[in-house]
Amino acid sequence: MPIETIPYKETGFFSKLICDYLAEDDSIRPFYHRFPNIEAFRDQIEEKNKGYDHNFRKTLVSALKKQLEGLSLSEATQANIEALHSEKTFTITTGHQLNLFTGPLYFLYKIISVINLSEALKKEYPDHDFVPVYWMATEDHDFEEINYFNFHGKKIRWNRADGGAVGELSTEGLDAVLEIFDKEMGSGKFSNGLKELFETAYTKHRDLTRATRYLANELFGAYGLVIVDGNDHQLKTAFIPYAQQELEKRTAFNHVTETSSRLKELGYPEQVSPREINLFYLNEGLRERIIEKDGVYHVNNTQISFSVEDIIEELHTYPERFSPNALLRPLYQEVILPNLCYVGGGGELAYWLQLKKYFDTVEVTFPILLLRNSALLIQEKSLDKLKRLQLSVRELFLPVQELENMHTRRISEIDIDFSKQREFLKQQFRSMYEIAEKTDASFLGAVAAQEKKQLNGLDKLEKRLLKAQRRKLSGELERITTLKESLFPGESLQERYKNFSEFYLEYGPELLSVLKKELDPLVNKFTVISW
């Protein structure tokens, strides 16, 4: 059950850019299209309907059916795929890497956000259909980011050679990872179910794309989730004109660079730096940047090169060999999907905010940007500990040092706050200043220096007293630190570290149903859920 929602800004874990976006700060307004509230979707639907190539729907459905062959699809998912034929059907999309066994817990929050938003939109706009979409980042090549997941404080890692797009990596060797995972789980009510889920996904599917597709479908298929793999010849045919423009005109580089400069002037750091060409060349075991020099296009770290004419011919013949990077992937997604909204984390939305002018230039509708749900799952026994320690849930979001100092001041039988002494000292010096003003400037400076020295002395005494009381109360402070670490591992958000399996092991399928029930994608606040 949700026990509290906290403004993202008050958690201390979200950037100024994202907090300003959520506050609809005027400085951010030029960098997005429509703010994510239910009413904004009316105009978004109308605009996307006019801007989307509805003739591509048949190709989209055909590609999806081919990709999903062999999966046991729910009636809801099958109905959603068929619904994409209709001009009254739109998508709500999130994307994620192919992390081993879903990676961090927020993978669930992303997908639940798109499912719940799709359902909310259907209630508001019953004449339309809304399809929740998970876009698999199959073309990424950073294996070190996705080859592990954390379980009970241990990193369960897949060790193998990497190279090329991660989606094409063979799952050979993951049976050894299953053995480690099984041993760490031990016996429990839902351990066999988790083991079977991992085993079927990773030892009975030949590559990481198929394994991840199976896993996501098993977890969310009942809610009608449609899973898309952008690494597809049929789908990339629609992207050929934009990829050609990228090769010939550097459109993304020019406009994103300008937007990034404007954001920097406002004090926001650049999330992703644009390349002159934001495309990779993709082939078996290979995904390398395309670099142009003196009219020749080179594939980085290879002997492959093309003339202008040859690379354009290659693009038209083999569009699947041209892979967009993080800045171009959003455009590719919005070109092929009748999409209204992208749901992502803070880092993702930060680079989407770099893209608005680029989208306008290439005349593709910019989607509504929605920050995915974030949550803290806290058990009743942890809540009981909080009560005994006289702490609130909100206070747990403080850094450890600040939390311990605050608690020490609160429970110490000695008043550690020297504010009264500082005010008394300042009053004494006021009379000294009156005397000093009747003399010369040097004496006035001496009085000011003495006041500062004595105030600094009070600060030092207060810190020493606080340190002494911390030592005296070390037992209770240690209990706070232990509780904090269990809920914020490594002083990070739980969702960025823990894997869903830790919670599924205890609660089973109820985990997903509770999260779906309690997470509201449009609330724009951090949610605390107790169990």
Side-chain angles (χ1 to χ4, degrees):
M1 299 291 290
I3 59 172
E4 194 166 0
T5 56
I6 304 171
Y8 285 112
K9 188 175 183 178
E10 294 181 15
T11 69
F13 285 98
F14 293 83
S15 71
K16 184 179 186 301
L17 175 62
I18 294 304
C19 292
D20 286 350
Y21 172 64
L22 296 176
E24 300 183 68
D25 189 285
D26 288 342
S27 64
I28 303 298
R29 188 64 193 85
F31 303 100
Y32 65 92
H33 194 29
R34 295 186 175 93
F35 191 75
N37 55 57
I38 200 75
E39 294 81 13
F41 281 90
R42 187 180 306 279
D43 290 337
Q44 191 75 15
I45 289 169
E46 183 178 347
E47 184 177 352
K48 187 67 178 184
N49 186 50
K50 292 177 180 177
Y52 182 68
D53 181 5
H54 295 290
N55 293 323
F56 190 69
R57 287 179 179 273
K58 185 176 180 181
T59 302
L60 174 61
V61 171
S62 172
L64 287 173
K65 287 182 176 180
K66 186 176 180 181
Q67 290 180 13
L68 297 170
E69 279 180 1
L71 280 185
S72 177
L73 300 178
S74 68
E75 289 184 7
T77 295
Q78 293 180 58
N80 277 341
I81 293 171
E82 291 299 331
L84 287 168
H85 280 296
S86 169
E87 295 186 11
K88 286 185 170 292
T89 299
F90 298 91
T91 60
I92 305 298
T93 302
T94 192
H96 196 68
Q97 296 171 300
L98 307 191
N99 294 75
L100 187 62
F101 213 39
T102 77
L105 184 60
Y106 67 75
F107 173 80
L108 271 64
Y109 302 161
K110 276 186 166 184
I111 295 182
I112 288 170
S113 293
V114 297
I115 290 169
N116 282 348
L117 180 55
S118 297
E119 292 180 0
L121 288 171
K122 181 62 178 177
K123 290 179 182 177
E124 185 71 18
Y125 305 102
D127 293 339
H128 295 84
D129 289 315
F130 305 92
V131 176
V133 168
Y134 162 43
W135 181 288
M136 296 193 298
T138 58
E139 297 176 51
D140 282 5
H141 61 268
D142 197 337
F143 181 65
E144 292 300 316
E145 285 189 2
I146 60 101
N147 69 339
Y148 69 93
F149 65 96
N150 296 307
F151 183 78
H152 287 165
K154 297 182 180 179
K155 186 171 283 190
I156 297 181
R157 186 183 296 276
W158 179 21
N159 294 309
R160 56 150 294 158
D162 64 333
V166 295
E168 297 175 356
L169 293 176
S170 167
T171 53
E172 184 178 355
L174 277 167
D175 51 346
V177 178
L178 174 61
E179 289 182 18
I180 297 170
F181 181 42
D182 186 30
K183 183 178 179 181
E184 290 295 333
M185 274 195 298
S187 59
K189 183 177 179 181
F190 299 107
S191 56
N192 287 338
L194 272 176
K195 179 182 177 182
E196 183 181 348
L197 184 62
F198 187 102
E199 182 176 21
T200 305
Y202 293 106
T203 68
K204 297 182 180 178
H205 292 87
R206 69 171 184 261
D207 58 43
L208 197 55
T209 292
R210 287 174 172 79
T212 305
R213 184 187 289 130
Y214 169 83
L215 185 59
N217 183 64
E218 284 296 301
L219 291 173
F220 299 105
Y223 303 114
L225 183 70
V226 172
I227 303 162
V228 177
D229 177 7
N231 189 8
D232 183 285
H233 175 89
Q234 278 184 282
L235 298 181
K236 284 192 176 176
T237 57
F239 195 60
I240 289 174
Y242 303 94
Q244 183 168 339
Q245 187 179 53
E246 178 68 9
L247 291 167
E248 295 177 337
K249 298 183 179 180
R250 316 289 193 268
T251 311
F253 176 77
N254 294 330
H255 290 293
V256 175
T257 298
E258 180 185 341
T259 300
S260 298
S261 296
R262 290 167 60 201
L263 284 165
K264 286 179 183 177
E265 288 173 3
L266 293 169
Y268 304 114
E270 184 177 58
Q271 185 69 20
V272 178
S273 299
R275 304 279 189 180
E276 289 194 0
I277 297 176
N278 293 278
L279 291 168
F280 290 88
Y281 189 76
L282 184 66
N283 217 327
E284 291 185 16
L286 174 70
R287 188 179 187 250
E288 290 285 352
R289 288 195 298 120
I290 298 172
I291 302 170
E292 185 271 334
K293 186 177 181 181
D294 298 328
V296 178
Y297 292 82
H298 303 273
V299 178
N300 199 35
N301 296 320
T302 75
Q303 299 299 313
I304 303 170
S305 63
F306 300 92
S307 66
V308 176
E309 295 77 11
D310 288 343
I311 200 166
I312 299 305
E313 182 181 350
E314 181 86 353
L315 171 63
H316 283 262
T317 307
Y318 305 105
E320 69 276 10
R321 294 181 181 177
F322 292 79
S323 175
N325 71 358
L327 283 176
L328 236 59
R329 183 200 61 77
L331 180 70
Y332 173 39
Q333 168 193 296
E334 296 302 312
V335 166
I336 69 172
L337 294 177
N339 195 51
L340 301 176
C341 176
Y342 184 77
V343 178
E348 290 176 283
L349 296 199
Y351 71 71
W352 275 89
L353 291 169
Q354 295 176 245
L355 299 175
K356 174 65 167 55
K357 187 173 181 181
Y358 172 49
F359 269 67
D360 291 344
T361 300
V362 296
E363 298 181 337
V364 174
T365 303
F366 196 69
I368 291 174
L369 302 178
L370 178 67
L371 184 66
R372 65 166 173 81
N373 283 115
S374 282
L376 172 67
L377 307 184
I378 182 168
Q379 295 175 305
E380 287 291 343
K381 60 183 180 182
S382 294
L383 286 176
D384 290 341
K385 290 179 181 178
L386 274 176
K387 290 176 183 176
R388 290 197 295 271
L389 290 166
Q390 302 176 48
L391 289 173
S392 69
V393 172
R394 287 192 179 217
E395 289 168 344
L396 278 179
F397 284 82
L398 294 171
V400 170
Q401 183 82 10
E402 191 175 336
L403 176 63
E404 290 184 347
N405 286 346
M406 179 206 69
H407 191 66
T408 301
R409 293 176 187 275
R410 176 185 291 164
I411 67 173
S412 171
E413 72 277 8
I414 302 172
D415 187 2
I416 305 175
D417 185 0
F418 282 8
S419 297
K420 292 180 181 179
Q421 288 83 350
R422 288 188 188 88
E423 184 56 36
F424 179 77
L425 186 62
K426 288 178 181 178
Q427 287 178 3
Q428 301 305 304
F429 271 91
R430 286 191 189 109
S431 61
M432 293 295 293
Y433 280 118
E434 291 175 4
I435 296 172
E437 287 173 357
K438 297 175 183 178
T439 60
D440 58 31
S442 63
F443 186 68
L444 186 65
V447 172
Q450 187 63 28
E451 180 186 29
K452 184 177 180 181
K453 180 179 179 180
Q454 293 196 31
L455 286 172
N456 287 340
L458 277 178
D459 290 343
K460 290 178 182 178
L461 286 173
E462 185 179 293
K463 288 177 181 178
R464 288 190 64 176
L465 179 57
L466 177 62
K467 188 175 181 180
Q469 288 300 94
R470 280 173 58 94
R471 285 196 300 268
K472 184 176 180 181
L473 301 169
S474 60
E476 180 153 350
L477 295 181
E478 187 175 339
R479 289 194 292 275
I480 290 175
T481 303
T482 301
L483 179 59
K484 165 85 173 180
E485 177 61 25
S486 70
L487 296 172
F488 295 82
E491 289 210 58
S492 179
L493 287 176
Q494 178 192 76
E495 64 186 38
R496 298 177 187 173
Y497 182 85
K498 293 193 175 185
N499 180 260
F500 86 98
S501 56
E502 287 192 35
F503 301 94
Y504 195 97
L505 191 62
E506 186 166 356
Y507 303 106
E510 183 187 359
L511 172 67
L512 297 179
S513 59
V514 168
L515 290 176
K516 184 178 181 302
K517 179 183 176 184
E518 306 298 355
L519 294 176
D520 182 346
L522 295 172
V523 75
N524 276 333
K525 289 184 179 180
F526 191 99
T527 306
V528 180
I529 301 175
S530 67
W531 293 79

